[in-house]
Amino acid sequence: ASLACAPFLFNTNPQVLKVGTRIGAWCAFGYAAQAIALNHFHISASETAFECSLQTVVVAAWLAAQSGHLPPRTIASVTTAVTGVAILCFCGGTQPESNALIPTHYESIVGALIALGQAIGFGASYIELEKASEDFPQDAQALAAIQCMVVAIFALAAAKSAGADFDA
């Protein structure tokens, strides 16, 4: 996707590149938090998905702090979204196999805190993207292209640091 979008970056306003890079970095931060929580702290996919859904809370709280008020409609929307995801993630479904990696109490707490980075990273990227879309309405393709490139660069760097062999 990054290479396919690259042509949109030619003759792009440097300010758009700067903003798009920041949005992509926030998004990459969210993905990094997700990967670390899942792979290093053995947090379940359900818990990680639930914590990712808290990005709705991050966005609503940020907008409330900016505007000085939180409309009841927003409270209802966020509550409905988080409740729905909680039901999907924690009610029913399959239980882990007996030989599945079960996190320790310490791993659960630290992993859950790290997983909250998803909500912060993705939520911040949405907030930044909304402002960028207002400031640069004609540069949506360039914004998307630079975001994809930044996330790809972070992902490749993370894979390489984890020992990925790209020559195989």
Side-chain angles (χ1 to χ4, degrees):
S2 297
L3 293 176
C5 293
F8 296 116
L9 297 176
F10 296 118
N11 300 320
T12 299
N13 176 343
Q15 189 64 24
V16 171
L17 295 176
K18 180 180 173 184
V19 170
T21 299
R22 190 170 55 240
I23 296 167
W26 276 118
C27 193
F29 175 81
Y31 284 123
Q34 183 179 71
I36 292 167
L38 286 167
N39 294 315
H40 298 289
F41 291 91
H42 314 297
I43 301 301
S44 71
S46 292
E47 183 177 345
T48 306
F50 173 74
E51 292 195 38
C52 185
S53 77
L54 297 178
Q55 62 193 281
T56 59
V57 177
V58 169
V59 172
W62 179 271
L63 295 176
Q66 292 274 327
S67 68
H69 72 286
L70 186 60
R73 181 175 58 194
T74 301
I75 294 169
S77 298
V78 169
T79 302
T80 302
V82 172
T83 302
V85 174
I87 290 168
L88 289 172
C89 291
F90 300 119
C91 294
T94 59
Q95 298 299 315
E97 298 176 20
S98 60
N99 63 351
L101 291 172
I102 307 296
T104 65
H105 183 68
Y106 168 79
E107 285 178 325
S108 293
I109 293 170
V110 173
L113 291 173
I114 290 172
L116 283 174
Q118 299 171 97
I120 295 166
F122 297 144
S125 74
Y126 299 148
I127 293 162
E128 293 258 359
L129 181 58
E130 180 178 14
K131 176 146 178 33
S133 297
E134 292 169 2
D135 294 345
F136 307 104
Q138 70 285 0
D139 293 310
Q141 293 168 320
L143 280 168
I146 193 66
Q147 288 171 64
C148 284
M149 289 185 154
V150 169
V151 171
I153 290 167
F154 273 95
L156 288 171
K160 190 66 177 167
S161 72
D165 182 11
F166 295 115
D167 297 328

